[in-house]
Amino acid sequence: MNYLLEILLIGIGAALINNFVLHYFVGICPFIGVSRQVVTAFGMGCAVTFVISIAAFLSWTVTTYILVPGAPLSSWIAEFFISAERASRIDLTILSYIVYIFAIASSVQFVEMYVRKFFPPLYQSFGVFLPLITTNCAILFACLLIMGHIVGVDNPEDVWDLGKSLTLAVFGGVGFTIAIVIMAGIREELDFCDIPGPFRGAAITLVVAGILAMAFMGFTGVDSGLKKVLTPSTVEKTINGDHLDHMKNN
């Protein structure tokens, strides 16, 4: 139950409370550039969600089995050249940025080939922004966030496994999709409005993004409220424990 609760809180936090775009302000380039139409925005959100999920899987696997000190694969290879004690202390996390960028780039290439073959109109509407997913800082941010919960964690029980990492990635992509689709819907309506000249284009888009960010602040505290509701209190545990003891004695 505790694990499922953690998964739920991570998902809600990534999608709504700590939305990558509206809370951390990462992934702004496609958020502004591909939010003119709802259909295009939804397609971009799905593409980013897929890429961020694949990149998170690859980054977690590489970080856990190769990069961190004492990783099994790197230690096994190093033991051929140095002692086992020194091999267990090898720290390759300095290569994390390079490894994550390669993982993201390979995922984007796969998505680009798939979309170009099966959805040519969507590929044309994406334009330059589809290959630019490689430089989408939201994806790299998710990989680094996962790394932060694997490397340097004092309590081994707090180290994230693959399930928590994929939950963050998938729901982070869902949160990106929600934000960009809402923005696209608003921008479609703004086309029928008389906007002052200085505010047209990116200016009004950034103003709307700021208002959306303030609106999403309303989700603050939802995670702590859910945790309080779904976690049995100490009093309830004591009462239930006393009741069980009483039944055993009888």
Side-chain angles (χ1 to χ4, degrees):
M1 179 62 184
N2 290 334
Y3 183 79
L4 294 178
L5 179 60
E6 290 182 16
I7 291 291
L8 176 63
L9 295 179
I10 291 172
I12 293 177
L16 300 176
I17 303 170
N18 301 318
N19 188 281
F20 286 3
V21 178
L22 302 177
H23 181 82
Y24 293 111
F25 301 106
V26 292
I28 295 295
C29 296
F31 178 71
I32 301 297
V34 197
S35 59
R36 296 183 180 276
Q37 295 180 344
V38 172
V39 176
T40 307
F42 181 75
M44 174 58 72
C46 293
V48 169
T49 302
F50 179 80
V51 171
I52 200 173
S53 302
I54 298 299
F57 172 77
L58 294 176
S59 63
W60 181 88
T61 304
V62 172
T63 302
T64 303
Y65 292 100
I66 298 177
L67 300 182
V68 298
L73 185 57
S74 59
S75 299
W76 178 72
I77 295 175
E79 286 178 3
F80 288 100
F81 308 98
I82 58 178
S83 63
E85 183 180 355
R86 292 179 59 191
S88 64
R89 296 197 301 266
I90 291 180
D91 186 358
L92 299 178
T93 53
I94 193 174
L95 302 175
S96 58
Y97 277 87
I98 299 175
V99 172
Y100 296 162
I101 289 173
F102 272 109
I104 295 169
S106 60
S107 303
V108 171
Q109 282 296 109
F110 177 77
V111 171
E112 185 176 2
M113 290 187 297
Y114 179 82
V115 173
R116 181 168 53 187
K117 182 174 180 60
F118 295 101
F119 303 98
L122 188 61
Y123 177 79
Q124 294 294 332
S125 63
F126 281 160
V128 71
F129 290 100
L130 183 57
L132 281 181
I133 294 180
T134 305
T135 59
N136 188 341
C137 51
I139 302 175
L140 181 59
F141 175 78
C143 294
L144 294 176
L145 201 60
I146 292 170
M147 174 186 169
H149 287 86
I150 299 175
V151 181
V153 180
D154 297 329
N155 187 2
E157 294 182 357
D158 294 334
V159 176
W160 277 16
D161 59 3
L162 182 59
K164 294 180 181 179
S165 302
L166 287 180
T167 300
L168 175 74
V170 172
F171 281 90
V174 170
F176 178 87
T177 305
I178 292 173
I180 196 173
V181 168
I182 292 176
M183 173 61 76
I186 295 174
R187 291 185 72 177
E188 285 185 354
E189 296 298 326
L190 287 176
D191 291 338
F192 301 100
C193 300
D194 185 15
I195 302 172
F199 283 96
R200 292 175 183 172
I204 190 63
T205 304
L206 292 174
V207 171
V208 173
I211 296 173
L212 282 177
M214 290 190 291
F216 269 67
M217 289 177 64
F219 292 109
T220 303
V222 172
D223 53 347
S224 58
L226 280 175
K227 187 175 182 180
K228 186 176 181 180
V229 170
L230 297 177
T231 303
S233 63
T234 306
V235 177
E236 291 177 349
K237 290 180 180 179
T238 304
I239 294 174
N240 292 333
D242 294 341
H243 180 67
L244 289 175
D245 292 339
H246 179 71
M247 291 180 64
K248 288 180 180 179
N249 294 332
N250 292 335

